[in-house]
């Protein structure tokens, strides 16, 4: 038995398709080794689904891989080149503190990027140190896994290790590395980079690679314009993704085009946070002074970002530039409608509605207006409607709300499905728990300042089942105590 364990291998099963792309797309480079790696958390269910052996990952050799101190056989680490519009301004970027270790092929034959975030300086680091701090890496772990449990497409977190080294921000902080798993790290910014500094041949190679990797069904050579199909699919996925964010009150915080994944996953958990009281103007990020990435602006910014993607694709859409622009514009014109359709069908589900009536949008809007007026908690309002327990809050006591409630009940009665069926639909559409800011902070404080990871583990446990209404979860539904200071998030770089 012991012998068996000793010989157990992590079962990394690598293939490096990205490294086969033109050289200008990346820089081959090994991570910078760290002083004394220590495993803080390992995502065992994720490891299993990747075909990895958790026991072997926990050994010294296993942990050294997460730290960048050991390169497993078959890996070919590289830093990816990309660009991006950061708060509207175009910049040359790239993996400044991350490396693509390799791509893991799972037992089901799926391909996932294995990325080390915080693994040391690269040629794209500019003035950064290439490192990351424990708090922000655990924060990404918690929120990305919460998003996954909510059923929202996202990159995932396999492990966090501490490095045994300090990093200097305003203060000294413990260094850490997150192992991130993504269907790919292809971004709108990757296309922007090649469109700006590469050749048309390279752009075609990137688009072909993307089609093969993510959308093989669209990748048929023939009459249809495959690159237009790619554009349409990316638009469709962004519209769907952002609608899902809106439906749970998720604010990404830094929707720069380098943080927009071509596969439609949520990526780059920097200053993101969930909204408490409903207000479209909500912004948490300390650097978003203009509210560009405010909750209510996210759908619009999603459209702006896919427009940047379309611009990058223009040379492939048609050889005649004017015609290419017309093709792109036509594709882009579907974004708003796709977004609204996704959002409204999600909102119908949140209110237990199966069928469609023309007045549904105004029913939803009136509820949202009331929530805004009365500063009602976004998650708890829908949770209360779901369990039909309208606690004593200012909004629920208001006469205007009683009127809305009556309208809603009448609307519910105009569908065939029973009340029980409606409630079921609402239960599966309205999470009881989300990673509330004060809970996340509490978990990070215990972990980073006291080396106590039990608070985070309990939080992760609760968040892994967001649609269950278990008694243990009730504690995690509470809103934060009133504070004079608005909640602020930081990029954590
Ligand atoms: P982000 O805000 O995480 O999306 O990062 C934006 C850009 O800054 C990316 O090119 C990152 O690789 C780079 N970057 C962020 N933090 C660091 C750091 N500590 N060292 C080097 N580059 C960084
Ligand atoms: Mg980024």
């Amino acid at each position: 038995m012991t012998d068996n364990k000793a010989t157990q291998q992590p079962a990394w099963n690598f293939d490096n398709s990205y490294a086969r792309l033109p050289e200008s797309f990346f820089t081959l480079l090994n991570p910078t080794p760290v002083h004394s790696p220590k495993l803080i958390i390992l995502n065992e269910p994720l490891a299993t689904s990747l075909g990895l052996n958790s026991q072997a990952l926990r050994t010294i050799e296993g942990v050294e891989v997460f730290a960048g101190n050991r390169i497993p056989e078959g890996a070919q680490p590289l830093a990816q080149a990309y660009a991006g519009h950061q708060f509207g301004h175009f910049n040359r970027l790239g993996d400044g503190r991350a490396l693509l270790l390799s791509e893991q092929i799972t037992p089901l034959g799926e391909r996932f990027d294995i990325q080390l975030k915080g693994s040391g300086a690269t040629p794209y680091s500019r003035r950064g140190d290439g490192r990351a701090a424990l708090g922000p890496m655990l924060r990404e772990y918690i929120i990305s896994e919460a998003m996954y449990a909510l059923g929202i497409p996202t990159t995932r977190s396999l492990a966090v290790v501490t490095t045994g080294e300090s990093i200097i921000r305003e203060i000294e902080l413990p260094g850490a590395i997150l192992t991130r798993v993504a269907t790919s790290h292809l971004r709108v910014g990757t296309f922007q980079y090649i469109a700006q500094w590469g050749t048309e041949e390279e752009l075609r190679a990137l688009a072909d690679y993307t089609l093969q990797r993510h959308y093989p069904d669209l990748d048929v050579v023939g009459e249809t314009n495959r690159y237009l199909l790619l554009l349409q699919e990316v638009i469709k996925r962004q519209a769907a993704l952002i609608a899902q964010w809106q439906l749970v009150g998720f604010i990404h915080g830094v929707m720069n085009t380098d943080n927009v994944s071509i596969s439609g996953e949520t990526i780059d958990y920097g200053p993101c946070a969930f909204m408490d009281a409903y207000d479209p103007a909500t912004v948490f990020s300390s650097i978003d002074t203009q509210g560009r990435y405010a909750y209510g602006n996210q759908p619009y910014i999603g459209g702006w970002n896919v427009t940047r993607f379309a611009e990058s694709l223009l040379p492939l859409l048609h050889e005649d530039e004017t015609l290419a622009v017309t093709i792109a514009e036509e594709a882009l014109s579907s974004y708003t409608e796709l977004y609204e359709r996704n959002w409204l069908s999600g909102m119908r589900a949140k209110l237990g509605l199966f069928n469609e009536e023309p007045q549904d949008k105004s029913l939803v809007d009136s509820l949202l207006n009331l929530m805004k007026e009365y500063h009602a908690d976004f998650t708890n309002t829908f949770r209360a409607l779901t369990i039909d327990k309208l606690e004593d809050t200012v909004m629920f006591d208001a006469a205007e709300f009683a009127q809305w409630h009556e309208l809603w009940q009448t609307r519910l009665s105009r569908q065939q499905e029973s009340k029980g069926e409606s409630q079921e639909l609402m239960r599966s559409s309205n999470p009881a728990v989300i990673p509330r800011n004060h809970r996340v902070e509490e978990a990070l404080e215990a972990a980073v300042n006291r080396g106590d990871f039990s608070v985070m583990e309990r939080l992760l446990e609760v968040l892994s089942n967001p649609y269950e209404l278990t008694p243990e979860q009730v504690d995690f539904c509470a809103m934060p105590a009133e504070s004079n200071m608005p909640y602020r998030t930081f990029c954590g770089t």
Side-chain angles (χ1 to χ4, degrees):
M1 198 63 194
T2 347
D3 272 347
N4 243 350
K5 267 188 202 163
T7 55
Q8 264 174 358
Q9 295 297 317
W12 291 112
N13 178 27
F14 288 147
D15 179 61
N16 302 294
S17 69
Y18 204 85
R20 294 192 285 272
L21 283 165
E23 277 182 355
S24 58
F25 288 34
F26 56 85
T27 304
L28 291 174
L29 172 78
N30 280 349
T32 312
V34 300
H35 186 265
S36 43
K38 187 172 159 230
L39 183 66
I40 298 300
I41 187 162
L42 174 69
N43 190 335
E44 293 204 0
L46 177 59
T48 306
S49 74
L50 290 169
L52 298 170
N53 179 323
S54 291
Q55 245 169 7
L57 293 176
R58 286 183 184 281
T59 62
I60 295 168
E61 291 79 15
V63 173
E64 278 175 346
V65 171
F66 294 136
N69 288 15
R70 173 187 294 261
I71 310 299
E73 208 184 303
Q76 202 173 6
L78 58 86
Q80 294 179 320
Y82 54 85
H85 274 93
Q86 298 181 299
F87 291 88
H89 303 286
F90 189 65
N91 288 314
R92 196 175 177 128
L93 302 167
D95 285 334
R97 56 156 170 176
L99 288 176
L100 173 64
L101 185 62
S102 185
E103 298 146 29
Q104 170 77 358
I105 311 297
T106 72
L108 295 175
E110 298 159 312
R111 178 183 297 269
F112 287 97
D113 276 9
I114 306 294
Q115 193 203 60
L116 303 180
K117 184 170 176 181
S119 53
T122 77
Y124 313 108
S125 296
R126 294 170 293 163
R127 272 164 299 170
D129 60 1
R131 292 299 187 191
L134 178 59
M137 294 306 100
L138 290 178
R139 195 165 192 282
E140 169 151 351
Y141 189 109
I142 296 169
I143 302 189
S144 63
E145 286 305 302
M147 292 289 270
Y148 171 75
L150 284 164
I152 299 176
T154 177
T155 62
R156 296 195 63 191
S157 300
L158 179 61
V160 174
V161 295
T162 44
T163 58
E165 297 171 8
S166 296
I167 64 166
I168 313 293
R169 294 297 178 257
E170 271 106 50
I171 50 170
E172 224 175 277
L173 298 168
I177 299 174
L178 169 81
T179 302
R180 175 154 86 177
V181 177
T183 52
S184 87
H185 284 84
L186 291 163
R187 311 148 190 266
V188 166
T190 317
F191 281 82
Q192 290 182 295
Y193 183 88
I194 302 298
Q196 180 77 21
W197 291 290
T199 62
E200 192 177 316
E201 202 184 319
E202 286 174 334
L203 184 64
R204 195 175 299 276
L206 178 62
D208 288 342
Y209 175 80
T210 308
L211 276 160
Q212 257 174 37
R213 182 158 177 184
H214 291 296
Y215 309 113
D217 295 348
L218 306 181
D219 195 20
V220 280
V221 186
E223 287 295 294
T224 45
N225 183 339
R226 293 144 71 228
Y227 306 114
L228 172 59
L229 296 181
L230 172 62
L231 172 61
Q232 288 167 335
E233 192 62 29
V234 170
I235 291 172
K236 201 167 103 188
R237 297 218 183 183
Q238 275 307 308
L241 178 68
I242 293 168
Q244 283 191 282
W245 292 356
Q246 300 305 99
L247 293 166
V248 296
F250 174 77
I251 304 174
H252 183 282
V254 59
M255 290 173 70
N256 295 336
T257 54
D258 53 302
N259 295 336
V260 179
S261 149
I262 295 295
S263 75
E265 290 182 334
T266 311
I267 186 171
D268 246 337
Y269 292 86
C272 63
F274 282 72
M275 176 170 62
D276 294 302
Y278 175 76
D279 183 350
T282 308
V283 173
F284 292 115
S285 170
S286 59
I287 56 169
D288 191 2
T289 46
Q290 307 290 310
R292 178 180 170 90
Y293 300 138
Y295 172 78
N297 228 15
Q298 296 191 126
Y300 163 76
I301 291 291
W304 195 89
N305 287 341
V306 290
T307 306
R308 305 288 82 75
F309 179 58
E311 281 168 4
S312 307
L313 276 187
L314 284 177
L316 304 184
L317 292 178
H318 202 284
E319 59 199 21
D320 177 318
E321 203 182 320
T322 318
L323 279 177
V325 170
T326 312
I327 293 171
E329 279 174 352
E330 200 187 312
L332 289 165
S333 68
S334 67
Y335 171 83
T336 307
E337 197 199 317
L338 283 169
Y339 165 75
E340 276 171 6
R341 214 191 299 154
N342 279 295
W343 177 83
L344 187 55
S345 75
M347 276 295 177
R348 283 198 179 96
K350 284 175 90 68
L351 291 176
L353 301 173
F354 287 89
N355 63 349
E356 296 179 12
E357 283 189 11
Q359 293 305 308
D360 291 344
K361 177 153 188 321
S362 93
L363 183 74
V364 174
D365 285 340
S366 350
L367 174 63
L368 292 175
N369 286 339
L370 286 172
M371 286 165 66
K372 178 166 182 243
E373 189 183 333
Y374 290 100
H375 308 286
D377 183 86
F378 185 78
T379 307
N380 284 351
T381 298
F382 287 101
R383 176 172 163 268
L385 296 175
T386 303
I387 57 177
D388 202 13
K389 201 166 152 220
L390 305 182
E391 285 125 350
D392 199 13
T393 65
V394 199
M395 183 177 85
F396 290 144
D397 291 341
E400 291 161 286
F401 177 78
Q403 276 168 13
W404 179 86
H405 196 264
E406 202 178 313
L407 271 179
W408 175 47
Q409 290 301 312
T410 321
R411 170 66 184 86
L412 281 170
S413 67
R414 287 199 300 273
Q415 61 184 10
Q416 290 177 344
E417 287 78 4
S418 67
K419 194 160 168 82
E421 284 169 299
S422 269
Q423 242 170 5
E424 264 319 297
L425 178 62
M426 290 178 73
R427 269 178 192 277
S428 57
S429 313
N430 294 312
V433 282
I434 47 150
R436 286 197 183 265
N437 303 320
H438 64 294
R439 287 296 193 176
V440 174
E441 291 305 322
E442 173 187 84
L444 296 182
E445 195 277 325
V448 178
N449 299 342
R450 292 184 276 123
D452 172 5
F453 300 104
S454 63
V455 185
M456 176 179 76
E457 275 154 20
R458 172 139 166 65
L459 178 63
L460 283 169
E461 176 70 34
V462 170
L463 292 172
S464 70
N465 228 341
Y467 299 101
E468 287 294 313
L469 276 164
T470 61
E472 305 86 72
Q473 291 192 338
V474 173
D475 261 3
F476 288 83
C477 299
M479 291 160 64
E482 285 281 334
S483 155
N484 296 329
M485 292 286 287
Y487 184 66
R488 279 278 161 266
T489 56
F490 302 89
C491 271
T493 52

